[in-house]
């Protein structure tokens, strides 16, 4: 099969393995063999489900994928009380980003309004001077600042600025970017996860996640597209290169944890690495994506579909979170884009 075929199969596989009743939309795990499996409402996983369905629509122009994206978004927002407001600011931002993408595809202003609502809520409630600035991770813990909030906020700000041309979006993007670089980006371009999680002003240097590198690449690309300043593109490349040097083992990113959320991290990196590839056409980025995806699919075949687990070097474990399936889908969709 070619990469388009694999991406199509991955789209079918998400439904095949994880489809649930209307109340749950998607099961959190495959197999689902305990009532506890679906107790958690994984709000931010569903935002990425919207994204992968949009990826398929943009690639195929099949309206069925767009309908799935909109249905997923509606389910997620309705289950969250009819709003994108949430205690976790990073989860809100992922829903804002997929809302903005839906707006760009459909032209429906409700999606743009949702994205703006999230942006404004963070500006109004999440920024404070603890740790020298930065946005808090969640409402109950305003003194903990991390990359998973601050950098997606930069991405959203650059998108809104490009769409609406209102200076406040660029101003806040640059303000947040300056704090992020000063506090959580190393000299070699590697991005740390957060600071002051334990109230001790320390940086979590042991949390070396692909997620953080991916979004920082995306933030730099957003600022590069607006300003044209080469430093942003160079910083994106520096972070991509150090990530491939430090986080890859046997041709793939290492398994990053067992909690479920970590299953999404690799796919986020692929999304923004592909964007960097489109701007630079650096062969090493596409070579890595294709060769790692070859390893992924070699271990993922199950019942004529693809079941993609946390560790791409072996078949999926006996219990797989759909977050991990989404990562594989994102990776395959990004590689399939290269065939167009």
């Amino acid at each position: 099969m070619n990469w388009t075929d694999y991406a199509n199969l991955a789209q079918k596989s998400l439904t095949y393995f994880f489809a649930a009743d209307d109340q749950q939309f998607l099961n959190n795990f495959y197999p689902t063999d305990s009532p506890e499996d679906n107790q958690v409402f994984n709000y931010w996983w569903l935002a990425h489900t919207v994204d992968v369905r949009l990826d398929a629509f943009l690639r195929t122009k099949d309206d069925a994928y767009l309908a799935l994206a909109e249905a997923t978004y509606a389910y997620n927002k309705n289950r969250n009380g009819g709003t994108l407001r949430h205690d976790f600011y990073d989860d809100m931002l992922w829903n804002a980003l997929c809302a903005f993408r839906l707006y760009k595809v459909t032209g429906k202003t409700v999606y743009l309004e949702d994205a703006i609502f999230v942006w404004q809520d963070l500006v109004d409630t999440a920024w404070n001077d603890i740790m020298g600035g930065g946005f808090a991770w969640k409402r109950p813990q305003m003194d903990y600042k991390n990359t998973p909030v601050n950098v997606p906020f930069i991405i959203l700000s650059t998108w809104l600025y490009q769409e609406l041309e209102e200076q406040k979006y660029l101003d806040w993007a640059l303000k947040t970017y300056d704090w992020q670089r000063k506090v959580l980006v190393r000299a070699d371009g590697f991005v740390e996860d957060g600071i002051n999680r334990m109230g001790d002003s320390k940086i979590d240097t042991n949390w070396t996640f692909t997620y953080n590198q991916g979004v920082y690449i995306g933030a730099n690309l957003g600022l590069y597209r607006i300003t044209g300043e080469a430093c942003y593109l160079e910083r994106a490349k520096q972070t991509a290169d150090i990530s491939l040097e430090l986080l890859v083992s046997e041709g793939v990113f290492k398994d990053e944890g067992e909690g479920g959320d970590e299953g999404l991290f690799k796919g986020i990196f692929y999304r923004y690495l592909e964007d960097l590839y489109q701007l630079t056409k650096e062969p090493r980025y596409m070579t890595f994506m294709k060769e790692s995806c070859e390893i992924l699919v070699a271990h993922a075949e199950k019942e004529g579909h693809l079941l993609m687990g946390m560790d791409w070097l072996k078949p999926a474990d006996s219990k797989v979170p759909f977050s991990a399936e989404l990562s594989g889908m994102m990776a395959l969709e990004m590689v399939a884009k290269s065939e167009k």
Side-chain angles (χ1 to χ4, degrees):
M1 289 195 296
N2 59 28
W3 293 114
T4 297
D5 292 333
Y6 279 123
N8 290 337
L9 182 58
Q11 292 285 341
K12 295 175 183 176
S13 298
L14 180 65
T15 303
Y16 180 80
F17 289 115
F18 296 96
D21 58 30
D22 290 341
Q23 175 62 31
Q24 182 62 28
F25 202 78
L26 289 172
N27 289 314
N28 287 334
F29 297 94
Y30 175 85
T32 298
D33 50 21
S34 168
E36 296 180 356
D37 288 344
N38 284 329
Q39 283 186 346
V40 175
F41 170 37
N42 284 301
Y43 178 59
W44 83 289
W45 297 10
L46 286 164
H48 291 279
T49 308
V50 175
D51 271 333
V52 294
R53 298 308 196 188
L54 277 175
D55 293 336
F57 170 72
L58 292 169
R59 177 173 51 81
T60 67
K61 306 307 178 188
D62 183 341
D63 288 338
Y65 286 122
L66 180 56
L68 276 172
E70 291 199 88
T72 305
Y73 184 87
Y75 166 84
N76 204 28
K77 183 179 176 181
N78 289 338
R79 186 168 174 184
N80 194 53
T83 178
L84 296 190
R85 194 177 191 276
H86 198 277
D87 275 353
F88 289 86
Y89 290 115
D90 54 342
D91 292 8
M92 289 177 63
L93 283 161
W94 284 115
N95 279 276
L97 290 169
C98 75
F100 186 88
R101 291 187 72 205
L102 278 172
Y103 162 71
K104 294 296 287 184
V105 170
T106 67
K108 296 178 182 178
T109 56
V110 63
Y111 297 130
L112 178 60
E113 290 166 359
D114 281 352
I116 293 171
F117 168 82
V118 168
W119 186 91
Q120 192 64 54
D121 186 65
L122 264 80
V123 168
D124 291 344
T125 68
W127 183 278
N128 60 64
D129 292 334
I130 301 170
M131 299 294 107
F135 290 99
W137 177 49
K138 59 181 180 178
R139 295 178 204 273
Q141 191 178 5
M142 297 298 291
D143 59 349
Y144 171 42
K145 312 296 180 65
N146 66 7
T147 296
V149 168
N150 285 276
V151 181
F153 176 85
I154 299 168
I155 295 172
L156 178 62
S157 298
T158 62
W159 290 4
L160 289 172
Y161 176 77
Q162 288 179 294
E163 182 68 21
L164 302 173
E165 297 183 344
E166 294 182 25
Q167 188 64 33
K168 64 181 180 180
Y169 296 117
L170 180 56
D171 289 346
W172 271 99
L174 293 169
K175 177 180 178 179
T176 310
Y177 182 86
D178 288 345
W179 178 87
Q180 176 73 27
R181 271 185 57 78
K182 179 181 177 182
V183 178
L184 291 176
V185 181
R186 297 189 330 208
D188 62 1
F190 194 84
V191 184
E192 305 287 13
D193 187 83
I195 186 170
N196 203 44
R197 179 170 56 92
M198 304 302 293
D200 55 7
S201 301
K202 292 182 179 179
I203 293 174
D204 290 309
T205 56
N206 58 321
W207 284 7
T208 55
F209 295 135
T210 50
Y211 172 124
N212 297 321
Q213 320 313 313
V215 290
Y216 186 65
I217 291 168
N220 275 291
L221 297 184
L223 289 170
Y224 172 71
R225 287 188 168 101
I226 291 170
T227 68
E229 294 179 16
C231 64
Y232 294 115
L233 187 58
E234 290 306 310
R235 289 168 187 166
K237 290 166 63 177
Q238 182 190 32
T239 295
D241 293 342
I242 195 67
S243 302
L244 298 181
E245 177 184 339
L246 297 182
L247 300 180
V248 172
S249 176
E250 298 181 64
V252 300
F253 287 122
K254 308 167 200 175
D255 181 355
E256 295 179 88
E258 300 178 355
D261 281 346
E262 298 91 341
L264 263 167
F265 293 178
K266 292 191 282 288
I268 292 168
F269 184 92
Y270 278 76
R271 181 174 300 286
Y272 294 106
L273 184 66
E274 192 277 336
D275 196 19
L276 178 60
Y277 170 75
Q278 293 299 335
L279 280 174
T280 65
K281 298 302 180 184
E282 292 279 359
R284 64 184 182 277
Y285 300 142
M286 185 53 63
T287 296
F288 165 74
M289 286 192 284
K290 287 184 175 180
E291 290 181 351
S292 58
C293 282
E294 288 171 359
I295 295 170
L296 169 65
V297 298
H299 294 101
E301 197 282 327
K302 183 180 178 67
E303 300 174 12
H305 289 76
L306 297 174
L307 183 63
M308 298 172 280
M310 303 285 283
D311 186 348
W312 290 7
L313 290 172
K314 61 183 182 181
D317 293 334
S318 57
K319 205 172 192 70
V320 179
F322 86 80
S323 57
E325 187 81 358
L326 291 174
S327 259
M329 292 173 72
M330 276 188 268
L332 292 171
E333 284 291 347
M334 295 304 102
V335 174
K337 284 176 69 174
S338 70
E339 295 188 334
K340 295 184 68 175

